[in-house]
Amino acid sequence: NYNVMFSQRYHVSLFHTPAARDGAARRYNTMRLTGSDGEFWDLPTLKKEIPHLNYNSARFPIIGAAVQKRAGNARHDAVAWGYARGADMHGVDIIQNCEVTGVTRTDGKVTALETT
């Protein structure tokens, strides 16, 4: 268990063209097939949820958005330390400034690393 300083916030991708909307629809449909809870917001919904955007005179008109409500940010260094802590709990020795130059696999599993 390690605090990665995760801050959960919406991720909102605005659409400015029908082509952008169609491209995002393909990505979000794929995400939904894998269990994500992505949503598409039409313009009235977007205006209701995020009223402070410049809808009237923006250089690129806003026509909708793709939204992932469970998205968030994690501190990258905290994530790295979390992985390191988990690896250490499984007996991995972590050596700084040591380049991996090769990987040995046996029956599809990593069994050794070659290092500098």
Side-chain angles (χ1 to χ4, degrees), residues 39-99:
E39 298 178 11
F40 267 68
W41 288 353
D42 58 9
L43 191 55
T45 303
L46 184 59
K47 285 181 176 181
K48 178 182 170 220
E49 295 290 329
I50 309 175
H52 63 275
L53 293 178
N54 180 4
Y55 295 102
N56 298 324
S57 60
R59 180 174 180 189
F60 299 106
I62 299 169
I63 64 172
V67 180
Q68 172 53 268
K69 289 184 177 180
R70 292 184 305 118
N73 295 317
R75 290 252 330 248
H76 68 281
D77 55 333
V79 172
W81 279 106
Y83 278 123
R85 185 172 180 181
D88 181 63
M89 288 171 34
H90 287 88
V92 174
D93 292 322
I94 299 174
I95 303 167
Q96 294 185 38
N97 301 316
C98 181
E99 180 182 0

Side-chain angles (χ1 to χ4, degrees), residues 14-29:
L14 300 177
F15 308 140
H16 301 285
T17 66
R21 180 189 57 224
D22 294 346
R26 285 190 294 276
R27 288 188 296 278
Y28 268 74
N29 284 335

